[in-house]
Amino acid sequence: MENNKTSGGGFKVISLIVVLVAVILIIVFLMPQTKNVVAEVNGAQITQSDLDKKVVKTKDFLKGNGNTDVLTAQQEIDLKKNVLEGMITEKLVADYATENNIAVTNAELEVEFAKVVTSAGGEAGLETQLKNFNITKAQLNEDIRSALIFNKSVEKYVGAEKLLVTEAEALDTYNTLVKEAKAEVPPSTEAIPSFEDAKVLLMEQLRGQKINVESQSFVEFLRGKATIKNLL
């Protein structure tokens, strides 16, 4: 009889423990999960996990560009700070685009992706670059989409007229480049394209330069009206 009582009591203790563990698991599951937040942008959070992923991506980009130097402790800190600032800006631009109904169509994305393929020397060249930078085509497309959203947002902010590139500007740039190419020592063996062949690309590059010039004031405008908490 003593043994039976002990056995029964043990069973009750084990059952109670099981119930308590189950209750604790339910409470933990239902409680809001706390995240290590490194920044808040207009109420939206950027977590340490988000930052870590972006830092890895940035390091892969640097490595793909041939920068294989091992970062010092201070350089690691500076890199994280810079990446976080970039993420804050990305969020602000995304919010601005949403507020102003700015979007990128699939057709626009396909056009820009085709340009990337051409600049890489074809599909094989692109695959090599994707491998070097440790990114997928899907990630590349997202990067292209973000860049297009940024460009459209700057255009919305400053007005299309400010970013307009004339044929005269393109011709002036072309003549300067041709003069520099002919003055190279030793002389370049690459054939110089005609202005008509180079015009479209030159006008795109000049427009990109104008966007870069206006981007600083645009970002300052976004930050000036935003609520930002950098907790890093």
Side-chain angles (χ1 to χ4, degrees), residues 38 140 181 207:
V38 292
L140 174 60
R207 185 174 186 276

PDB file of all heavy atoms in Angstrom, residues 38 140 181 207:
ATOM      1  N   VAL A  38      16.757  48.633 -33.383  1.00  0.00           N
ATOM      2  CA  VAL A  38      17.910  49.522 -33.539  1.00  0.00           C
ATOM      3  C   VAL A  38      17.505  50.897 -34.058  1.00  0.00           C
ATOM      4  O   VAL A  38      18.291  51.849 -33.995  1.00  0.00           O
ATOM      5  CB  VAL A  38      18.968  48.898 -34.481  1.00  0.00           C
ATOM      6  CG1 VAL A  38      19.600  47.676 -33.840  1.00  0.00           C
ATOM      7  CG2 VAL A  38      18.358  48.548 -35.830  1.00  0.00           C
ATOM      8  N   LEU A 140      18.286  41.097 -57.121  1.00  0.00           N
ATOM      9  CA  LEU A 140      18.709  42.128 -58.065  1.00  0.00           C
ATOM     10  C   LEU A 140      17.509  42.933 -58.548  1.00  0.00           C
ATOM     11  O   LEU A 140      17.557  44.163 -58.633  1.00  0.00           O
ATOM     12  CB  LEU A 140      19.434  41.495 -59.253  1.00  0.00           C
ATOM     13  CG  LEU A 140      19.822  42.439 -60.398  1.00  0.00           C
ATOM     14  CD1 LEU A 140      20.759  43.539 -59.903  1.00  0.00           C
ATOM     15  CD2 LEU A 140      20.466  41.660 -61.545  1.00  0.00           C
ATOM     16  N   ALA A 181      39.541  60.704 -74.936  1.00  0.00           N
ATOM     17  CA  ALA A 181      39.927  59.378 -75.444  1.00  0.00           C
ATOM     18  C   ALA A 181      41.092  59.493 -76.428  1.00  0.00           C
ATOM     19  O   ALA A 181      42.011  58.668 -76.425  1.00  0.00           O
ATOM     20  CB  ALA A 181      38.733  58.718 -76.113  1.00  0.00           C
ATOM     21  N   ARG A 207      21.238  62.313 -66.887  1.00  0.00           N
ATOM     22  CA  ARG A 207      20.040  62.409 -66.044  1.00  0.00           C
ATOM     23  C   ARG A 207      20.331  61.824 -64.657  1.00  0.00           C
ATOM     24  O   ARG A 207      19.908  62.369 -63.634  1.00  0.00           O
ATOM     25  CB  ARG A 207      18.876  61.679 -66.685  1.00  0.00           C
ATOM     26  CG  ARG A 207      17.559  61.848 -65.924  1.00  0.00           C
ATOM     27  CD  ARG A 207      16.396  61.212 -66.679  1.00  0.00           C
ATOM     28  NE  ARG A 207      15.131  61.496 -66.024  1.00  0.00           N
ATOM     29  CZ  ARG A 207      14.628  60.800 -65.002  1.00  0.00           C
ATOM     30  NH1 ARG A 207      15.298  59.763 -64.519  1.00  0.00           N
ATOM     31  NH2 ARG A 207      13.479  61.129 -64.458  1.00  0.00           N
TER      32      ARG A 207
END
